Amino acid sequence: MIATAFSTDFNTVLPALDAWVTSAEQEAALLYRQQPRQQQFLAGRGFLRWLVCQQWHCAAGAVAISRQDNGAPLLSVGGQQWQCSISHTKGGVLVAASPEYVVGVDIEVVKPRRRLVELVEQYQDGFFSNLDGSNWQLFYQRWTLAEAVTKAEQGLLLSTLKRPVDDYQQRAEHAFSNGYMLCCYTEDAKPDALLREVTATAEGLVFAELK
């Protein structure tokens, strides 16, 4: 099983994440100079811990999130290593966890960028085959997939972009929400979990109703 959670509204969810972030993580966030980057760090850690506890009914103290040498998050639950992935961008965060499946996620704001048009032309024989840079939603489906694949493999993005995209599309789930494109990819099989949005209520964080 792969569980996911995302939010595109930091202003409402960040206060609700206080109970899901450790003091060590709060101190680590201060190492980032800019407040938005601090918020992204805390949101990623807090969301991941909340998701694991919510989905698998374990205590928050059993969930440890550290950092690998390559910068990727390392998730341990009850002393056992799990698979996980964290992605954040301006105002948005997406996390995934699994006790067994290798997973990668990515979230991006969908907006035109000149540099990305150049990437489409550069990797026509790879991930951006049959794109011309005019359909931004389709472009970001491919871009988030490339990022998610790279995170799952803990590889290099430019290497991923050179590969045929058809090899990966069947093992990914995409969603478009509030101007954000989201992707969840697993090497093992097509993800068996929906990309679930989380909202803040008076009682705390909850999964939003499926539409």
Side-chain angles (χ1 to χ4, degrees), residues 85-99:
S85 186
I86 298 174
S87 179
H88 37 63
T89 187
K90 183 178 180 181
V93 61
L94 168 62
V95 301
S98 174

Side-chain angles (χ1 to χ4, degrees), residues 49-135:
R49 184 171 288 105
W50 175 85
L51 173 64
V52 171
C53 294
Q54 179 78 10
Q55 191 69 50
W56 284 277
H57 310 289
C58 59
V63 182
I65 307 167
S66 56
R67 181 185 177 92
Q68 300 183 54
D69 291 340
N70 63 4
L74 183 64
L75 174 63
S76 175
V77 181
Q80 300 295 315
Q81 183 174 330
W82 283 29
Q83 304 296 329
C84 74
S85 186
I86 298 174
S87 179
H88 37 63
T89 187
K90 183 178 180 181
V93 61
L94 168 62
V95 301
S98 174
E100 52 186 331
Y101 295 116
V102 174
V103 62
V105 298
D106 190 51
I107 180 172
E108 302 285 345
V109 178
V110 175
K111 63 179 180 181
R113 299 178 185 176
R114 181 179 302 175
R115 169 60 180 151
L116 299 187
V117 175
E118 297 173 0
L119 284 175
V120 169
E121 298 172 351
Q122 185 175 354
Y123 294 99
Q124 274 292 308
D125 293 332
F127 255 64
F128 297 134
S129 61
N130 301 318
L131 291 186
D132 59 9
S134 62
N135 186 329

Side-chain angles (χ1 to χ4, degrees), residues 140-201:
Y140 277 99
Q141 284 185 1
R142 301 279 185 89
W143 179 258
T144 55
L145 176 57
E147 290 274 13
V149 168
T150 302
K151 290 179 180 179
E153 297 179 350
Q154 298 193 26
L156 298 175
L157 178 61
L158 295 184
S159 175
T160 303
L161 290 172
K162 295 176 182 178
R163 306 173 194 168
V165 68
D166 292 341
D167 295 344
Y168 301 97
Q169 288 178 313
Q170 298 304 313
R171 300 197 295 273
E173 291 285 353
H174 282 93
F176 181 70
S177 178
N178 300 323
Y180 292 80
M181 182 65 68
L182 306 96
C183 178
C184 177
Y185 165 84
T186 176
E187 297 175 338
D188 304 280
K190 190 174 179 63
D192 57 357
L194 296 173
L195 290 159
R196 297 290 307 274
E197 186 174 11
V198 175
T199 60
T201 69

